[in-house]
Amino acid sequence: MGLFEDVSVEVHDQYQLDFPHEGFVMLDNQSMRELDLRDRDVILLQGKRYTRARAVHVSSEDQIENYAIRINSLIRNNLGVKIGQHIRVTKEEDTQAALEITLKRLDEDNCPMESIKKINHKDLVQSLDQAPIMHGDGVEIRHRDMKLFFKIVEILPSYRPTHVDTKTKISIVDFVELRWGNMMKTSIK
């Protein structure tokens, strides 16, 4: 454990090219020291909602002040916060590979189920590569030249921090409006 159990940090925008993967945030050096964090350690972020991410140091050229964090729009949305607001950051235990996750499409109009069936397991794993995930998180999947948005509706196991790896079974659900509320699942292999 670091010097403090958690720190309060101000949310800043994450530059487009700061970090190539989803699920990573850039934390100021003072906060990293106080929480005894090393690059790629898992942290719990608390805004209006909770999510997890991997922390990396801000670059030496970055003029960010102490107690600040650079977060992309997807993670800010998962937290329910805006730039300039404060969130709590806590060091977390490392993640384990999820056995199974289920995703629901968020942009159904721009992403018909026929297009989703063409996404292969490798594309999904690469998009979610080692990013800590939680039930309810929004995630971005890159497929060819498209960015597709999904919500995580189920994770197994659900009781500890998880990430996706090559062995994780990934399903995408299409909620069909039927009398009994049936759900169609498409497994991606």
Side-chain angles (χ1 to χ4, degrees):
M1 184 64 75
L3 298 172
F4 301 95
E5 286 190 22
D6 66 0
V7 294
S8 175
V9 294
E10 184 178 343
V11 174
H12 292 251
D13 196 13
Q14 187 173 36
Y15 302 130
Q16 195 73 358
L17 300 175
D18 274 343
F19 213 82
H21 298 290
E22 293 298 329
F24 286 83
V25 299
M26 299 183 80
L27 194 58
D28 72 279
N29 294 325
Q30 179 68 31
S31 297
M32 293 284 282
R33 276 191 300 277
E34 287 184 14
L35 293 171
D36 192 28
L37 293 171
R38 292 173 295 175
D39 277 347
R40 296 178 174 258
D41 276 351
V42 177
I43 55 176
L44 179 68
L45 306 170
Q46 178 187 352
K48 290 180 183 172
R49 295 181 293 273
Y50 292 89
T51 194
R52 291 186 178 94
R54 291 195 185 272
V56 293
H57 285 89
V58 293
S59 66
S60 57
E61 302 87 41
D62 198 335
Q63 299 299 317
I64 197 168
E65 65 267 6
N66 286 338
Y67 304 106
I69 189 169
R70 292 202 180 279
I71 304 177
N72 68 24
S73 60
L74 188 61
I75 294 175
R76 287 194 310 270
N77 186 51
N78 287 340
L79 288 167
V81 299
K82 296 178 181 173
I83 294 171
Q85 292 183 309
H86 283 79
I87 62 170
R88 305 292 306 171
V89 177
T90 309
K91 185 174 182 175
E92 277 275 281
E93 63 183 292
D94 203 9
T95 59
Q96 74 174 30
L99 301 174
E100 181 176 347
I101 69 167
T102 304
L103 306 171
K104 181 194 182 306
R105 298 179 294 158
L106 291 179
D107 54 353
E108 295 178 17
D109 294 337
N110 298 324
C111 182
M113 199 62 177
E114 295 76 38
S115 297
I116 290 174
K117 290 178 182 177
K118 295 177 184 173
I119 301 172
N120 64 40
H121 188 263
K122 182 180 175 186
D123 290 339
L124 292 170
V125 171
Q126 284 179 341
S127 290
L128 298 171
D129 184 34
Q130 299 297 313
I133 56 174
M134 291 180 69
H135 182 272
D137 278 354
V139 295
E140 177 184 285
I141 306 295
R142 292 185 178 103
H143 175 64
R144 297 188 180 134
D145 59 350
M146 298 186 307
K147 289 182 181 181
L148 308 172
F149 296 93
F150 296 87
K151 182 175 185 172
I152 298 172
V153 295
E154 183 178 46
I155 299 176
L156 296 174
S158 61
Y159 56 87
R160 55 173 305 184
T162 56
H163 66 268
V164 171
D165 74 2
T166 56
K167 296 177 184 170
T168 303
K169 179 182 175 194
I170 303 172
S171 300
I172 299 174
V173 294
D174 188 24
F175 290 93
V176 180
E177 298 291 332
L178 297 176
R179 247 190 321 192
W180 299 283
N182 291 341
M183 177 172 61
M184 279 180 10
K185 255 188 181 180
T186 300
S187 289
I188 308 296
K189 307 247 186 289

